[in-house]
Amino acid sequence: MCGILAVLGCSDDSQAKRVRVLELSRRLRHRGPDWSGLYQNGDNYLAHQRLAVIDPASGDQPLYNEDKTIVVTVNGEIYNHEELRKRLKNHKFRTGSDCDVIAHLYEEYGVDFVDMLDGIFSFVLLDTRDNSFMVARDAVGVTSLYIGWGLDGSVWISSEMKGLNDDCEHFEAFPPGHFYSSKLGGFKQWYNPPWFNESVPSTPYEPLAIRRAFENAVIKRLMTDVPFGVLLSGGLDSSLVASITARHLAGTKAAKQWGHQLHSFCVGLEGSPDLKAGKEVADYLGTVHHEFHFTVQDGIDAIEDVIYHVETYDVTTIRASTPMFLMSRKIKSLGVKMVLSGEGSDEIFGGYLYFHKAPNKKEFHQETCRKIKALHKYDCLRANKSTSAFGLEARVPFLDKEFINTAMSLDPECKMIKPEEGRIEKWVLRRAFDDEERPYLPKHILYRQKEQFSDGVGYSWIDGLKAHAAQNVNDKMMSNAAHIFPHNTPNTKEAYYYRMIFERFFPQNSARLTVPGGATVACSTAKAVEWDASWSNNMDPSGRAAIGVHLSAYEGSTVALPMPPPLKAIDDMPMMRGQGVVIQT
């Protein structure tokens, strides 16, 4: 991931302003340590901090059209750039960068080209012919982006809040799936798929369609000119990503450059569930596996850095971001610049344990819609900023546009969790990859119960955070919390502790408004809390708060749900192209 910063239509084109823009852009250098660029045209500034993943030699930014009248600074990856280049036969490209197509698409189609892009992106485009500009963010907000306004009427754009919070009168998260046009004078939604209106779909479940769509999503993300790997916790989602990558790596350009053996990475406390499961999957797939251990104290010591980089005070995001933050630093030290990760599956398929309590398929489907729409505030934020803190790029195949459309068109009845029928959470995904002839994963991994990242790295991690917060936040502070923090008032000492740190880094009211709030249990939305009256007494984002569902639920809860027996494989399901992985024993 790169870092972009733009100041558009400011009243100051002095050298001092240029120096200030450079200073603010340096706050984003962790995102793009490979090169820096700054373009100025009158009262418009476009700055870029580059992480070179595609065409490292010539893809420096800003990027231009043929006569340099259109200028682009972009953070992202355009997976269909080769196909788009073929459609732009009359255009000459300056670089081999996948993002080089953006300026030319604008020339050809105007502002309505954004939906043609298949990838993740945030970009600012300046048309110097009429001094107009447009800004766009990808469909569900995998890349982070903020917009702000100065007192002089200027518009500010930044990959992270820290690039503009000190210089804007007001700022906010740039909405995913939208673009902003100076000609239109505001935002326009460009991403509006059928599932967005939350009406219940009716497409029958076809396992092979799910399998094919997800394999395609993974394969297109193997586009890279630098060393890469996969994050492998041993859970269903990361294990499927690793398995598919291992099968298809051999025929890729990446394999020719960096070798045919996949590298995998896992983090956890000593003896944690993820470390054990991750190693088992890695051994099964034959990856070069890297285990990173951390202690509770290591994590606590990193909390301030995590909050500064991830820019949130949301409890579950900080819990999960800290291990990922520590792991990203280790991964980058090995020379790896890109990783594939498993975010998004739980939102699409209703994988969180509280979905066991969904009363009907309509409620189930609408909750998945709400969860996907909110991803940019939670898991996308975590995955993007925890890795970008060390110049590492995370790609998330479950959030591929085409795959989301395929999965969200299914009749939600097939996603419903029915233990009495052997259907656990994410059953439709598990069954799609249950292949007897050439197994993607061992059965017990394919049907392993959901662990949230903050739980899977070791249960004592969350318990240690709570204990540390209790030492730093007393009862008197909590009794006045509503007066000190009237917006999103923290209701636990852990939440109060994170909020104090956040406010020190980001004291503006606009900053605190970027963070979501509301009741939650096991990562539910506030609406889903209504599904079970008992949850109101145990409002915690950990999966163990799903009383009566999680096999390691909080002490005092009743667990009545056994793991269902493995399902039979799908008969006569053809394999996708590529080589299987054979491990000799």
Side-chain angles (χ1 to χ4, degrees):
M1 290 296 165
C2 303
I4 64 174
L5 175 70
V7 185
L8 303 156
C10 65
S11 57
D12 184 358
D13 61 358
S14 67
Q15 177 63 21
K17 187 67 173 184
R18 183 181 179 91
V19 170
R20 177 58 177 167
V21 173
L22 284 169
E23 178 187 346
L24 294 172
S25 179
R26 281 194 290 271
R27 295 184 183 181
L28 309 176
R29 184 164 291 172
H30 53 274
R31 297 182 62 90
D34 297 333
W35 193 252
S36 302
L38 175 61
Y39 172 87
Q40 180 182 358
N41 181 270
D43 55 2
N44 299 302
Y45 300 83
L46 274 63
H48 189 264
Q49 301 288 343
R50 188 185 185 205
L51 179 68
V53 176
I54 302 295
D55 188 24
S58 67
D60 294 337
Q61 296 192 32
L63 299 166
Y64 307 90
N65 66 335
E66 290 89 343
D67 62 6
K68 291 193 173 185
T69 57
I70 297 171
V71 192
V72 179
T73 181
V74 56
N75 166 37
E77 303 291 341
I78 309 302
Y79 303 122
N80 64 335
H81 74 103
E82 291 183 351
E83 173 192 330
L84 292 172
R85 285 172 185 260
K86 293 175 183 177
R87 296 174 62 173
L88 297 164
K89 295 179 180 178
N90 297 324
H91 292 259
K92 293 182 180 180
F93 297 92
R94 294 176 173 273
T95 77
S97 168
D98 52 298
C99 297
D100 209 356
V101 296
I102 293 175
H104 302 279
L105 287 169
Y106 172 81
E107 271 192 301
E108 199 73 27
Y109 301 101
V111 296
D112 293 320
F113 73 89
V114 184
D115 197 28
M116 299 169 66
L117 301 174
D118 182 8
I120 53 174
F121 52 83
S122 297
F123 67 81
V124 179
L125 181 150
L126 176 66
D127 187 340
T128 63
R129 296 171 299 186
D130 58 7
N131 212 35
S132 64
F133 65 87
M134 70 173 293
V135 186
R137 189 180 183 188
D138 63 67
V140 294
V142 174
T143 60
S144 58
L145 194 67
Y146 296 83
I147 183 170
W149 293 268
L151 282 174
D152 61 353
S154 56
V155 177
W156 293 61
I157 304 294
S158 178
S159 294
E160 295 185 4
M161 195 158 54
K162 60 182 66 68
L164 51 68
N165 64 309
D166 289 333
D167 289 65
C168 290
E169 185 67 14
H170 173 75
F171 55 90
E172 59 194 48
F174 194 100
H178 285 70
F179 68 79
Y180 181 97
S181 167
S182 60
K183 290 180 179 178
L184 297 176
F187 294 99
K188 180 180 178 181
Q189 184 177 350
W190 65 264
Y191 180 62
N192 190 27
W195 62 268
F196 228 70
N197 63 14
E198 301 184 10
S199 59
V200 179
S202 58
T203 303
Y205 172 50
E206 291 288 345
L208 185 56
I210 294 294
R211 184 193 288 193
R212 182 180 294 114
F214 188 58
E215 290 211 313
N216 288 338
V218 174
I219 292 166
K220 72 175 68 170
R221 282 162 177 78
L222 302 184
M223 176 186 80
T224 178
D225 292 329
V226 297
F228 81 103
V230 294
L231 304 186
L232 179 57
S233 69
L236 173 67
D237 306 329
S238 66
S239 298
L240 282 178
V241 172
S243 178
I244 294 167
T245 303
R247 289 189 180 213
H248 295 279
L249 180 60
T252 65
K253 178 182 175 183
K256 295 176 183 177
Q257 288 182 295
W258 310 108
H260 292 70
Q261 199 166 18
L262 181 65
H263 287 252
S264 57
F265 309 96
C266 187
V267 66
L269 302 176
E270 194 73 43
S272 69
D274 280 3
L275 289 178
K276 180 181 177 183
K279 185 178 188 307
E280 184 178 4
V281 175
D283 289 344
Y284 181 82
L285 298 177
T287 67
V288 179
H289 192 56
H290 307 267
E291 260 187 21
F292 304 124
H293 297 191
F294 76 103
T295 66
V296 172
Q297 190 60 53
D298 290 334
I300 289 171
D301 290 344
I303 288 292
E304 292 205 9
D305 285 340
V306 169
I307 292 174
Y308 173 75
H309 279 284
V310 182
E311 302 178 326
T312 188
Y313 52 81
D314 175 68
V315 170
T316 186
T317 304
I318 293 169
R319 287 176 176 179
S321 293
T322 305
M324 196 171 195
F325 176 86
L326 295 171
M327 175 171 56
S328 296
R329 188 173 189 179
K330 290 279 192 178
I331 292 171
K332 188 60 184 291
S333 73
L334 298 176
V336 172
K337 297 177 75 172
M338 185 272 281
V339 291
L340 274 67
S341 191
E343 281 76 16
S345 172
D346 293 313
E347 288 73 15
I348 295 169
F349 293 104
Y352 292 106
L353 298 184
Y354 73 89
F355 275 94
H356 280 254
K357 302 287 188 176
N360 53 60
K361 71 177 187 179
K362 181 180 179 181
E363 288 273 349
F364 189 106
H365 178 71
Q366 290 178 342
E367 176 72 357
T368 60
C369 293
R370 290 190 292 264
K371 290 292 291 180
I372 297 171
K373 291 175 182 178
L375 264 170
H376 67 285
K377 304 175 184 177
Y378 298 101
D379 285 19
C380 287
L381 188 83
R382 166 179 57 79
N384 183 278
K385 293 181 180 177
S386 296
T387 53
S388 292
F390 300 103
L392 181 68
E393 176 176 302
R395 296 182 181 175
V396 284
F398 278 108
L399 297 180
D400 179 80
K401 276 197 305 182
E402 290 303 314
F403 179 71
I404 293 176
N405 288 342
T406 300
M408 292 302 289
S409 69
L410 295 177
D411 184 336
E413 180 65 32
C414 68
K415 296 181 182 179
M416 292 282 287
I417 301 164
K418 298 182 178 182
E420 68 280 3
E421 298 178 17
R423 284 166 49 175
I424 63 174
E425 62 275 357
K426 294 187 286 192
W427 173 81
V428 294
L429 180 64
R430 299 175 196 271
R431 185 181 173 190
F433 286 92
D434 194 341
D435 190 291
E436 294 284 357
E437 293 184 8
R438 294 177 64 199
Y440 285 79
L441 296 169
K443 287 275 190 179
H444 62 284
I445 294 293
L446 194 61
Y447 293 98
R448 182 190 179 199
Q449 188 180 47
K450 163 69 182 171
E451 288 282 10
Q452 285 162 217
F453 189 32
S454 52
D455 287 333
V457 297
Y459 293 136
S460 59
W461 166 233
I462 292 176
D463 299 335
L465 285 174
K466 290 180 176 180
H468 178 72
Q471 294 173 354
N472 288 272
V473 179
N474 58 41
D475 293 340
K476 185 177 181 180
M477 295 161 75
M478 288 301 300
S479 68
N480 291 312
H483 301 290
I484 300 169
F485 304 117
H487 176 73
N488 282 349
T489 302
N491 57 9
T492 67
K493 290 183 177 180
E494 184 185 6
Y496 195 108
Y497 178 66
Y498 299 154
R499 186 65 174 272
M500 288 193 300
I501 299 171
F502 178 88
E503 296 275 345
R504 194 166 73 244
F505 290 130
F506 307 105
Q508 300 86 359
N509 186 55
S510 290
R512 63 182 68 98
L513 293 176
T514 65
V515 181
T520 182
V521 61
C523 287
S524 73
T525 66
K527 177 66 177 174
V529 172
E530 302 170 6
W531 292 351
D532 190 320
S534 68
W535 287 344
S536 62
N537 299 318
N538 193 28
M539 303 299 287
D540 190 280
S542 168
R544 289 180 290 163
I547 297 172
V549 176
H550 195 289
L551 300 182
S552 300
Y554 283 135
E555 187 176 352
S557 63
T558 302
V559 179
L561 179 68
M563 288 294 287
L567 298 167
K568 292 183 179 179
I570 305 163
D571 295 333
D572 301 322
M573 177 171 287
M575 296 295 295
M576 296 294 291
R577 66 185 185 277
Q579 299 298 314
V581 177
V582 179
I583 307 298
Q584 295 188 357
T585 58

